[in-house]
Amino acid sequence: MNSLANDISGSTPHALPSLGVVLVAAGRGERLGAGAPKAFVELHGRALLEFGIGVVTSLPHTGHLVVVAPESHAALALEIVDQVLPQESPWEVSVVHGGRERHESVRFGLEALPESVETVLVHDAARPFASAELFERVLAEVVRTGDAVVPALPVVDTLKRVDEDGIVHETVDRATLVAVQTPQGFVRETLAAAHATAQIQRENDAPTDDAEVVQRAGARVRTIEGEQRAHKLTTPADLAILEHFLTENLLGREAAPAGSHGASL
Ligand code: C5P
């Protein structure tokens, strides 16, 4: 495991040792049909996970990153950590195995964070281009308010409620609707308690994000402005969108080739 460094030459991380990030990368990616878990799908020769680890460990904090990977890909995840993390990084990184559903993967990630962590960001590895600036804004709002914080974008399409036969029953007012993204930020205690007590009663009732987990537990969730580049890979069409961000050079230095060196389970 890469150990915390107190004296970092060339940069001065903020004194925020209580930050933890859970990067969930254990989804099977069935809707993508790429033959690999989607966090391990490559863009320009780099796995999506590589971009996610890169942006988190570029944040100017000392922190703990837990990468949650499929058991079959844990060794590869470690290799990627090893490639991306600079030797002198103030980030401590570990890899744990994921669960069947996303919320289980998050719970396993949370359990792997050290006791000292007070603020947690949970991020989908399937959103490789969420910016460092977005991570910082989410974090700042959690610290400022103590609420759960999620990035959100307005919904642009007209929305219809349909039945299982595809018959439209009503148009849903989009003015009060937003599409939410990750990273999502939480006071650790709030998120851990909500996951521990989550009542997942039916197979199709599993929460699809962490904001829902804490909201079910009664906590307040606050939105901040999201960003287009935090787009999630779900279907093959999304690959073209992510590709566009890379080829049009819309990402700045955060997507630059990774550094090098060591971490372990
Ligand atoms: O499936 P979905 O698009 O909602 O996945 C969002 C993120 O959650 C992805 O980064 C995926 O790897 C992760 N995930 C996970 N464990 C699961 C399911 C999804 O870590 N069992």
Side-chain angles (χ1 to χ4, degrees):
M1 187 176 286
N2 192 64
S3 62
L4 286 177
N6 293 323
D7 180 20
I8 317 298
S9 55
S11 70
T12 312
H14 301 173
L16 197 60
S18 60
L19 175 62
V21 178
V22 175
L23 185 60
V24 280
R28 292 173 296 273
E30 278 155 7
R31 286 171 290 181
L32 184 63
K38 62 185 172 182
F40 296 83
V41 168
E42 292 188 354
L43 274 176
H44 291 201
R46 297 168 63 190
L48 297 199
L49 182 58
E50 199 177 313
F51 294 99
I53 294 170
V55 71
V56 170
T57 58
S58 78
L59 298 176
H61 307 288
T62 54
H64 302 264
L65 167 63
V66 179
V67 177
V68 187
E71 197 169 342
S72 56
H73 285 65
L76 180 54
L78 270 178
E79 272 175 40
I80 294 173
V81 170
D82 210 42
Q83 284 163 25
V84 176
L85 201 69
Q87 191 89 63
E88 73 281 11
S89 174
W91 283 82
E92 185 171 87
V93 183
S94 57
V95 175
V96 300
H97 298 159
R100 217 161 53 86
E101 303 279 354
R102 184 186 181 283
H103 64 90
E104 289 174 312
S105 294
V106 173
R107 184 158 52 82
F108 296 156
L110 285 173
E111 287 168 0
L113 287 171
E115 289 280 307
S116 58
V117 166
E118 290 169 5
T119 307
V120 178
L121 301 178
V122 181
H123 185 54
D124 294 336
R127 300 181 189 272
F129 300 142
S131 69
E133 191 261 343
L134 182 61
F135 277 81
E136 291 290 4
R137 281 196 290 117
V138 171
L139 179 58
E141 194 67 354
V142 175
V143 170
R144 190 182 74 81
T145 64
D147 291 335
V149 176
V150 303
L153 289 176
V155 175
V156 291
D157 293 318
T158 296
L159 299 176
K160 309 283 188 195
R161 195 179 311 282
V162 296
D163 63 22
E164 54 277 11
D165 299 321
I167 304 299
V168 172
H169 286 262
E170 60 173 331
T171 298
V172 182
D173 178 15
R174 71 182 173 203
T176 59
L177 297 177
V178 290
V180 305
Q181 307 176 315
T182 72
Q184 300 189 346
F186 307 88
V187 171
R188 189 246 185 96
E189 211 178 300
T190 308
L191 183 62
H195 270 282
T197 59
Q199 298 295 310
I200 317 296
Q201 280 146 352
R202 298 187 305 274
E203 182 96 333
N204 61 2
D205 192 32
T208 52
D209 75 346
D210 298 284
E212 189 179 350
V213 175
V214 299
Q215 208 185 358
R216 286 184 188 187
R220 181 160 57 180
V221 179
R222 186 182 280 273
T223 58
I224 61 165
E225 191 180 351
E227 57 183 20
Q228 295 290 349
R229 60 180 280 182
H231 189 79
K232 186 173 74 166
L233 174 61
T234 304
T235 68
D238 296 314
L239 265 180
I241 293 170
L242 294 176
E243 181 87 28
H244 170 78
F245 280 111
L246 265 186
T247 51
E248 297 301 312
N249 203 17
L250 301 171
L251 301 169
R253 65 177 180 82
E254 289 156 25
S260 56
H261 321 305
S264 63
L265 266 173

